[in-house]
Amino acid sequence: MHSVEKKIIKILEKKKIKFSNLSALQGDASERRYFKIQCNKTYMILMYDNNKKNLKKFLKVSKMLENKVTVPKIIRDFREEKVILLEDFGNTEYGKIIDEKNKKKYYKSAIDALIEIQKFILKLSPYSIKEFLRESDLFFEWYVSGFKNKLKININELLTNFIKKTQDLPQVFVHRDYHIDNLFFLNRRSDHFKCGWIDYQDALIGPCVYDLVSLTQDARVNVPKKVEEFAIEYYLRKNPNIDKELFIFSYSIIAIQRHMKVLGIFSRLAKRDGKKKYLSHIPRVKKMLISNLKKNEFSELNGLLINLIKNDGIE
């Protein structure tokens, strides 16, 4: 038994929580750990995070989202012991149930939930230019090596100017990690509540296009072009007041920024943390990044980035 599991068992015993079947779930790209436990006849999810600040953020955002979209109910809050007990959504994770025939149905449900939460004004920090650049800088820190600093400065100047334009879109709740591993389909619920969310603790207020990009240009799975086009068309049809031309431009620049960030994160996971499984997704992310850069308005940025993308430092 791992030390974290021993620690969790001690915490539950101290809190007099009677449980059985503590089993680890496959983790995400963070240090956060998830377990499924059974208390009497009820299954719950136990979230353990060594960083109490992250747990506090999770609880804060959960409260904001409560009754607006579907997030797991907080069953017990042991934040001082770094543990939260959550509602279990079951085995209906999008990544497990999506196939070629039902993709549009599930993506539509996920977009309905986004559209709903974007109606609310929530008190969260803004997604600043500084934060966007901090993320894309992970590309330089971990994915490539041997580049000249002047090149990075030029790339960041272009990115800054492009990202500034996305601020003219509606600024709304941004989940920041809105992909199929963080979504569940709950058929017994109604309307947009059918789509359940997890891992939203890093939420900010940013451009309305961001989470749609995360969903339809997913680093972990291939989303068919027809499904991507359907998702964009459906979102815009439901938001007729949005400037379509600006939305499509912003979709591409957010995709570029996000794919740079993801290449950096996946490389860091492999190089620093020994999590080599994320390397299998890098060819997909590279392909999507190059595809977005090929658009005419990004020709200068493409010229600066293309050799760095192709000549990565991944073993």
Side-chain angles (χ1 to χ4, degrees), residues 152-198:
K152 177 184 167 183
I153 291 170
N154 291 341
I155 289 168
N156 279 349
E157 283 178 357
L158 288 172
L159 281 174
T160 297
N161 291 332
F162 287 140
I163 292 168
K164 278 181 180 176
K165 294 181 181 180
T166 72
Q167 295 181 331
D168 291 332
L169 286 172
Q171 300 296 294
V172 299
F173 174 91
V174 174
H175 182 295
R176 287 179 82 191
D177 215 9
Y178 204 71
H179 58 77
I180 65 169
D181 288 345
N182 286 337
L183 303 176
F184 292 75
F185 191 73
L186 308 169
N187 197 43
R188 292 184 179 180
R189 308 194 189 194
S190 60
D191 303 321
H192 69 277
F193 290 107
K194 286 182 181 291
C195 184
W197 296 2
I198 62 170

Side-chain angles (χ1 to χ4, degrees), residues 14 32 38 73 77 109-110 118 121 140 145 160 174 216 226 240 253:
K14 178 185 171 184
R32 203 173 302 114
Q38 187 175 358
K73 291 175 183 174
D77 174 0
S109 177
Q118 291 176 1
I121 298 171
F140 299 101
S145 58
T160 297
V174 174
T216 57
K226 284 185 178 180
I253 193 59

Side-chain angles (χ1 to χ4, degrees), residues 238-255:
K238 291 286 186 175
N239 291 279
N241 294 327
I242 289 177
D243 182 327
K244 183 177 179 180
E245 188 175 336
L246 176 61
F247 185 89
I248 297 301
F249 168 87
S250 299
Y251 183 95
S252 294
I253 193 59
I254 292 297

Side-chain angles (χ1 to χ4, degrees), residues 216 223-235 251:
T216 57
V223 179
K225 199 67 182 172
K226 284 185 178 180
V227 174
E228 183 180 9
E229 290 168 353
F230 161 79
I232 294 169
E233 186 275 331
Y234 180 72
Y235 181 90
Y251 183 95

Side-chain angles (χ1 to χ4, degrees), residues 11-12 19 61 92 101 168 206 209 223 235 251 255 261 280 288:
I11 292 167
L12 293 174
F19 69 96
V61 181
T92 58
K101 294 179 181 178
D168 291 332
V209 72
V223 179
Y235 181 90
Y251 183 95
K261 174 181 79 168
S280 65
M288 290 189 292

Side-chain angles (χ1 to χ4, degrees), residues 33 53 115 122 239 278 288:
R33 299 284 305 278
K53 187 179 177 182
I115 290 168
L122 302 176
N239 291 279
Y278 291 95
M288 290 189 292

Side-chain angles (χ1 to χ4, degrees), residues 282-314:
I282 281 182
R284 178 185 299 109
V285 181
K286 285 172 64 172
K287 184 178 178 182
M288 290 189 292
L289 175 54
I290 291 168
S291 176
N292 282 284
L293 283 167
K294 282 181 178 176
K295 296 183 178 179
N296 290 336
E297 56 264 51
F298 305 123
S299 58
E300 186 178 357
L301 184 59
N302 184 35
L304 296 175
L305 272 173
I306 193 66
N307 287 331
L308 297 181
I309 298 165
K310 291 180 177 178
N311 299 319
D312 59 72
I314 302 299

